[in-house]
Amino acid sequence: MRVAVLASGRGSNLQALIDSSEMEGAPFKLSAVISDKKDSLALKRACKHGLKGYFLNPKDYCCREDFDSALAQLIKRKNIDLICLAGFMRILSSEFIACFSHSIINIHPSLLPSFPGLEAQKQALDYGVKYTGCTVHFVDEGVDTGPVIDQRVVPIYDNDTVESLSSRILKEEHVLYPRVVKGIARGLVEINGRKVIFHKGGS
Ligand code: GRF
């Protein structure tokens, strides 16, 4: 399975996917790393591992639709089967999402549907929940509203700060994301409307 990772920043989830793809018998290959930020650590990580990195400059396009259409062309040209968003800080147009329906997934640092959008870890702390976590979900037209594929739970401690909680969640993200991508590559993920069955027995 050919995977593209879209990332704007630090790229630690990208790194987890790179590491997983480099393991013997990995069922997927990272065929493109695409960023909207020229100097992103994500592109540097791709380069370090000999992966094809692409910078698409939003300033070169008059609107979101034009940017997304260039992105779609690149993804089609690379024969990508699965698009993984990993800290990609742009909202994708509905045309783009429709074009790659059920082939775009995202990782989010909360147990969706709680705390969608920005600063999910701060939202969880401010709300006072005792458990949060991370979610990998299919991307639909809403913000973090697509069908949930899998989640991992993280406890919140009384002395947690946004930083301490974020780093504990991030560790779980790095386990979850490669696991889901491998599951999809092995045909273990079945979609039935909003419900996703992840046949983990076979993973
Ligand atoms: C992660 O917390 C992810 O859940 C969210 O954006 C952050 C990206 O971090 N969507 P990184 O760039 O993968 O380190």
Side-chain angles (χ1 to χ4, degrees), residues 7-14 45 85-89 106-109 121 134 169-170 173-174:
S8 301
R10 162 182 72 175
S12 71
N13 278 289
L14 164 67
R45 291 182 196 267
L85 308 183
F88 190 58
M89 298 309 285
N106 180 44
I107 187 152
H108 182 77
Q121 302 92 334
C134 50
I169 295 174
L170 201 58
E173 293 184 32
H174 298 161

Side-chain angles (χ1 to χ4, degrees), residues 159-170:
N159 58 355
D160 258 332
T161 59
V162 171
E163 290 70 32
S164 64
L165 179 60
S166 301
S167 83
R168 203 160 344 101
I169 295 174
L170 201 58

Side-chain angles (χ1 to χ4, degrees), residues 34-38 43 54-63 66-68 70-71 74 88 90:
I34 304 170
S35 185
D36 59 334
K37 296 273 186 291
K38 192 171 179 208
L43 283 179
Y54 299 88
F55 164 55
L56 285 188
N57 189 349
K59 291 192 183 131
D60 289 344
Y61 304 93
C62 67
C63 57
D66 270 24
F67 178 94
D68 285 2
L71 183 60
L74 172 58
F88 190 58
R90 289 179 64 87

